[in-house]
């Protein structure tokens, strides 16, 4: 019999996984409403397609690599590394001085997000018995879906109130908390 976390430890773990899914979903989709401000700032539309594509390309490309890493190494260590990569990518995006730097930052953030998304479901599987997994997987999917839907609205509010850079900077403190 495997020992699974229970009580407050279990629910804090689920809350953390939900927060990571929310941050990854928002990071993936928030750039859509920030694009006009970003293009105004950099005075170019040449890289607009890459602002989202670089993130998604790296996220899709590296999910299997992180899946294997979770099998070979400590789940916690790989998850924390992915979180650090994601935060570094977000900070790079927020501090971007050129459009190319923003694209590179989005790619780094996508790399970290690949590890976080893979890790969320690896941790979920390790945290509960088989008969509970479908319900919690569905709940995490719902959380991710709601975050995806709210990202453009949140992005618009952030861009109008504090500027496009905060669409990326906001991931650093929230990601560190998770």
């Amino acid at each position: 019999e495997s020992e699974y976390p229970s009580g407050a430890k279990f629910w804090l773990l689920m809350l953390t996984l939900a927060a990571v899914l929310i941050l990854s979903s928002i990071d993936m989709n928030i750039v859509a409403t920030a694009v006009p401000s970003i293009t105004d700032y950099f005075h170019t539309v040449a890289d607009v397609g890459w602002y989202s594509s670089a993130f998604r390309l790296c996220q899709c490309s590296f999910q299997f690599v992180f899946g294997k890493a979770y099998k070979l190494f400590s789940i916690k260590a790989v998850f924390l590394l992915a979180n650090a990569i994601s935060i570094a990518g977000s900070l790079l995006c927020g501090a971007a001085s050129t459009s190319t730097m923003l694209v590179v930052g989005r790619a780094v953030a996508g790399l970290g997000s690949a590890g976080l998304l893979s890790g969320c479901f690896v941790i979920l599987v390790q945290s509960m018995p088989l008969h509970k997994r479908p319900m919690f997987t569905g709940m995490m999917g719902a959380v991710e879906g709601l975050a995806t839907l709210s990202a453009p609205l949140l992005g618009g509010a952030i861009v109008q109130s504090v500027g496009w850079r905060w669409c990326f900077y906001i991931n650093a403190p929230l990601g560190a908390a998770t």
Side-chain angles (χ1 to χ4, degrees), residues 22 31 43 77 80-81:
I22 289 169
V31 80
H43 306 293
L80 291 174
L81 176 66

Side-chain angles (χ1 to χ4, degrees), residues 40-172:
D40 285 348
Y41 181 82
F42 291 126
H43 306 293
T44 182
V45 292
D47 297 328
V48 168
W50 285 106
Y51 297 157
S52 287
S53 298
F55 183 94
R56 291 171 193 239
L57 184 64
C58 284
Q59 184 184 38
C60 292
S61 298
F62 287 96
Q63 276 189 341
F64 292 120
V65 174
F66 273 103
K68 188 66 169 181
Y70 280 113
K71 188 173 176 106
L72 296 174
F73 304 108
S74 162
I75 293 172
K76 183 177 182 179
V78 175
F79 192 77
L80 291 174
L81 176 66
N83 197 21
I85 292 169
S86 179
I87 291 169
S90 292
L91 291 174
L92 190 60
C93 289
S97 58
T98 65
S99 183
T100 303
M101 187 175 170
L102 180 65
V103 171
V104 170
R106 294 294 290 159
V108 172
L111 173 67
S113 181
L116 291 174
L117 288 177
S118 298
C120 280
F121 291 101
V122 168
I123 293 169
L124 188 79
V125 165
Q126 299 286 323
S127 302
M128 65 189 66
L130 181 62
H131 70 276
K132 290 185 179 180
R133 291 179 198 161
M135 181 179 68
F136 281 92
T137 303
M139 287 173 31
M140 292 298 170
V143 164
E144 188 177 10
L146 289 172
T148 299
L149 291 173
S150 65
L153 180 65
L154 179 63
I158 290 172
V159 168
Q160 284 185 349
S161 59
V162 290
W164 67 267
R165 292 184 185 278
W166 281 96
C167 289
F168 307 109
Y169 281 146
I170 198 162
N171 289 337

